[in-house]
Amino acid sequence: MKKNLRFIIALWISKAAMLLQKLLGMNASYFPGKIAIKLCPDFLGRIDKPETVITVTGTNGKTTCCNMLLDVLGENGFDVLNNKAGSNVDAGIASSLISDASLFGRVKKKIAVFEVDERSSLKIYAYVHPDYAVCTNLFRDSIGRNAHTEFISSIIEKALPDDTFMILNADDPISSQLKPDNKRKYFSLARLDSDGTECRNIINDVRCCPKCGGKIEYEFVRYHHIGKMHCTECDFKSPEPDFCAVPDWDKGTFTVQTADGVEEYPLMSASKFNTYNQITVVALLRTFGLSAEAIAASFAHMSIVKSRYTKLEKNGIEVITNMTKGQNPVACSIVFDYIREEEGTKEVVVMLDDKTYRETTEIVTWVFDADFEFLNDESISRVVACGVRVHDYHLRLLLAGIPEEKLRCVENEQDAPSQLILDGTDKVFILHDLTTPDETKRVRDGVLAEIEKRGASK
Amino acid sequence: MKIEVLFPEAANLFGDCWNYRYLKECMPEAELIETSFGDTPAFADGDVSLIYMGAMPESAQERAIKKLMPYRERIVELVENGTVFLMTANAGEVFCKYIENEDGTRVEALGLFNLYAKRDMMHRHNSTVLGKLDNHFMDMDIVGFKAEFSQLHGLDTDVEALAQLSYGTGRNSETKVEGVKINNFFSTSIVGPFLLMNPLFVKYLMELIGVENPKLKHEEIIMAAYEKRLKDIKKMAGK
Ligand SMILES: [Zn+2]
């Protein structure tokens, strides 16, 4: 697509907006990109793109994977354009390209890593042609926006070019089927002790064969529809992985068997979810041409940014806040599962109301899709639900089989700390939504004050 | 007492499995029959008290139509003899005249009532709804949500409604007429899950299938959630 006058005007105005943002000390955002697309709807098509474009999409893990990719590439001498500061919709990618463009829309950087919102695929891939496209996984997400996995995968399928090299999750029978005629490499996480043969989650979107509708047999199920499976009625089965991570939790490493031999990488945390992120990065970067040694060296001193997680301690009791992506039942279930598996006696404060809906009424459908059943565990002595929708959570927790005597329900979040047992508890988890950082901090401080006041200890 | 759930392996979106899980919680003595695409429906040659189907992807709607078409006459008979059907989200469309795609192609459906569904996969209609059950059979406030790609349109207006809305989108964006009621066949595109949002309707269904003095599981809590939502939506609707 050629650069026309309309494009140049849009570029200059958006660049001016970007400069103004900077002068006012505002953070970079998708705003300049939004202006550019408003003024020139095919702006993304007209602006130059770096020689190599890598996109990362998927329901969970895309931000973490992008951050890791940027770190490893950066340490290996690449100057990478990215949309970390903006957003993962078309305007965010436009902002990122504007920031790097010359006054005539020429690109300076040679390589870009863009996080792409699944729902925005059509608007983005129509103009931004990825050389490599990573899809971490596809799960059920917000019902209003993402509908269901069949819909989301059909959008990505339609939008991605036929010559993009795909990096896909062999353990996900939904996203592994994307762009079947494109060149591809598959990553996977080898069977773990914690894997089962029956799905323990409410949501399993591959209960019948995606190809023929026939009966599915799982060799193992990790969570939801993730696992290794085959159809009993046709040839549909999980693809064979090219990069299969075999973790050694005690040693703190994982190995990958390739044609060149066995590669060993340090684990950044003993979590299956993060191992997925790491093996995704390995699959992409090894395919891209980086050496195993270079990637391993970067992993060795990288740590997971826990922006969604804080931990304080008082009298030996750990008080943990964990941001849980509301409206995304799978992300919530992952957190509930993680809490259950944590050692010690635990108490949980559930404050997942989305503040944006305080004056209206939030669609609570996701609450019923999330596995609150995981909080029904001997090691969890109390669950305090709070917020405007407290009765919905109360009902959900009862339906999950949690005994009434373990439950406390209060409408005002700030009343939650007084409802905890505290004495003899090892860990208090405060699960909160993205929209309530201030309330969360106050609840956390309230818990610490309550421990002090009562002289409680673990 | 038998509750038959059709195609739960696919028709389980948006927490809809809780519609029948909750019925079972309220009626532990009831037998829950989960009929997969590969099974012969229990209603085909036996009596069931209630037949339920929930939200599903568009491809599953088409499979459901194919699977149920051979039993069309039996379904008509069951509806006529007053068997209770509950269809939520887009499940009811399986029983309309036809489903029309964006390109004008049609999928012939079971044709139980004279409405057709129109799909528009690039536009999702989301809304919060408030209404009353059509007052010729019961005075009851109905609340819930909608999140849909397809909406029902009329070939004629004689199809009896389930509810009249005062807020939110009905069968389609141009009407406040919601859902379909033919004898005890109830269809609504409300999600939430519908029954958990509307506990009084659960009681009504229980009475219909012969439970005397129905008691709801966790009655106090589910009623509190309902009253609170009703209040909030009424406020939001400016009523
Ligand atoms: Zn098959």
Side-chain angles (χ1 to χ4, degrees), chain B residues 3-154:
Chain B
I3 297 173
E4 178 163 27
V5 182
L6 295 177
F7 322 129
E9 72 270 44
N12 61 31
L13 297 175
F14 320 144
D16 261 3
C17 63
W18 285 100
N19 285 318
Y20 60 86
R21 285 187 179 196
Y22 187 63
L23 284 173
K24 174 75 180 161
E25 291 268 352
C26 295
M27 298 178 279
E29 70 289 354
E31 183 192 347
L32 200 64
I33 305 168
E34 299 192 40
T35 301
S36 298
F37 281 118
D39 303 332
T40 303
F43 69 72
D45 48 14
D47 284 331
V48 294
S49 307
L50 190 152
I51 298 170
Y52 174 75
M53 186 157 65
M56 62 194 115
E58 287 63 31
S59 66
Q61 273 185 313
E62 293 174 25
R63 284 189 79 198
I65 291 171
K66 235 183 232 160
K67 176 75 195 177
L68 294 176
M69 198 59 101
Y71 305 102
R72 192 186 176 279
E73 292 316 307
R74 173 66 179 156
I75 291 168
V76 170
E77 184 190 327
L78 289 171
V79 172
E80 277 169 5
N81 77 19
T83 299
V84 178
F85 285 73
L86 176 66
M87 300 295 139
T88 57
N90 61 359
E93 292 170 8
V94 167
F95 299 88
C96 74
K97 268 307 230 209
Y98 57 84
I99 301 173
E100 192 178 289
N101 291 310
E102 292 96 327
D103 62 0
T105 55
R106 288 177 182 183
V107 180
E108 291 302 318
L110 280 111
L112 202 67
F113 49 85
N114 219 6
L115 296 173
Y116 71 97
K118 218 173 146 69
R119 279 181 189 155
D120 181 357
M121 298 303 287
M122 280 300 113
H123 297 95
R124 195 150 173 87
H125 306 279
N126 297 314
S127 75
T128 302
V129 298
L130 170 70
K132 274 191 181 296
L133 280 192
D134 221 41
N135 56 16
H136 52 262
F137 75 106
M138 177 164 280
D139 183 20
M140 189 192 293
D141 288 310
I142 291 290
V143 291
F145 312 105
K146 292 213 175 182
E148 53 194 10
F149 285 127
S150 47
Q151 295 188 319
L152 285 171
H153 295 265

Side-chain angles (χ1 to χ4, degrees), chain A residues 140 143-144 147-148 150-151 207 213 360-365 368-369 373 388-389 391-392 394-396 398, chain B residues 8 12-15 18 57-59 63 121 124 126 128 145 149 192-193 196 221 225 228-229 232-233 236:
Chain A
R140 224 179 265 194
I143 82 164
H148 49 76
E150 210 174 284
F151 168 68
R207 287 211 266 165
T360 58
T361 174
E362 182 182 356
I363 296 189
V364 292
T365 301
F368 294 92
D369 265 345
E373 282 70 10
V388 197
R389 301 262 77 86
H391 302 303
D392 291 314
H394 193 173
L395 175 66
R396 181 67 188 89
L398 287 171
Chain B
N12 61 31
L13 297 175
F14 320 144
W18 285 100
E58 287 63 31
S59 66
R63 284 189 79 198
M121 298 303 287
R124 195 150 173 87
N126 297 314
T128 302
F145 312 105
F149 285 127
L196 294 195
I221 314 299
K228 168 76 174 143
R229 183 165 292 107
D232 289 352
I233 300 180
M236 181 176 158

Side-chain angles (χ1 to χ4, degrees), chain B residues 183-204:
Chain B
N183 289 336
N184 293 329
F185 175 97
F186 306 109
S187 165
T188 175
S189 58
I190 295 173
V191 293
F194 178 68
L195 290 185
L196 294 195
M197 299 291 108
N198 297 285
L200 294 175
F201 197 79
V202 180
K203 270 198 175 171
Y204 172 65

Side-chain angles (χ1 to χ4, degrees), chain A residues 150-182:
Chain A
E150 210 174 284
F151 168 68
I152 287 295
S153 57
S154 74
I155 284 189
I156 301 175
E157 179 71 32
K158 212 185 298 172
L160 272 172
D162 294 335
D163 58 354
T164 294
F165 197 108
M166 305 297 296
I167 304 291
L168 297 167
N169 185 345
D171 304 337
D172 176 5
I174 297 174
S175 65
S176 64
Q177 303 307 307
L178 285 170
K179 303 299 291 181
D181 298 326
N182 286 32

